[in-house]
Amino acid sequence: MSDFTPAEVVERTGFSLDTLRYYEREGLIGPIDRTAGGRRTYRQEHLDWLGLVKCLRDTGMPIADLKRYTALADDESTLEQRIALLESHDREVQASIDLLLAQQRHLHEKIAWYRGQAAEAQFAREPASAVGR
């Protein structure tokens, strides 16, 4: 199994180095091994975990909930609590999606209205001889 440098983790996950260090300080990743020279080394399991962290953050999970989930994930007896936390987050994600879709419909209505206005303005500018064609 290969180890990854912080730069490789940044490249593979899309997180900045500062974010990676912040997540480490907050206990969202760990434990991180170090080389004899004191440099951090990450394993594939860290990359896999960071993939889930990225998904949860990208879908709006607050850091406090992510910390709670991370703490629960370390305890095999918390399966039901983890499911409940993820289901709650899923409901919040769905509500956000529903709101965005409603807002997108509103945008589409506004765009259609403006297109109608533009077509009416174009029609009004056309010479009378061109209108009858």
Side-chain angles (χ1 to χ4, degrees):
M1 184 179 276
S2 63
D3 290 336
F4 301 93
T5 66
E8 291 170 326
V9 173
V10 164
E11 182 180 322
R12 290 171 185 249
T13 64
F15 289 125
S16 70
L17 191 54
D18 288 337
T19 298
L20 195 60
R21 287 180 179 152
Y22 171 75
Y23 286 172
E24 197 176 325
R25 278 193 313 271
E26 293 299 313
L28 299 176
I29 315 167
I32 304 300
D33 296 328
R34 293 186 180 259
T35 66
R39 296 186 183 267
R40 292 173 174 84
T41 61
Y42 298 84
R43 296 181 306 276
Q44 183 61 49
E45 68 187 54
H46 294 118
L47 292 176
D48 296 343
W49 179 256
L50 286 167
L52 176 60
V53 168
K54 184 160 184 53
C55 171
L56 296 173
R57 288 296 293 148
D58 286 351
T59 56
M61 181 177 273
I63 291 290
D65 288 349
L66 192 51
K67 283 181 169 183
R68 183 167 168 246
Y69 181 79
T70 301
L72 292 171
D74 289 337
D75 183 349
E76 292 292 325
S77 69
T78 62
L79 182 61
E80 292 300 320
Q81 291 170 290
R82 284 179 272 160
I83 291 170
L85 183 63
L86 291 176
E87 286 176 337
S88 173
H89 183 63
D90 182 57
R91 286 188 298 275
E92 292 171 16
V93 168
Q94 188 60 56
S96 295
I97 290 169
D98 293 345
L99 177 60
L100 282 172
L101 287 171
Q103 291 170 333
Q104 186 182 42
R105 283 190 297 275
H106 188 166
L107 285 172
H108 289 173
E109 291 168 4
K110 184 55 82 175
I111 291 167
W113 186 84
Y114 279 125
R115 285 186 176 149
Q117 294 297 304
E120 287 178 21
Q122 179 64 32
F123 180 77
R125 287 192 299 267
E126 290 182 6
S129 60
V131 174
R133 286 193 233 159

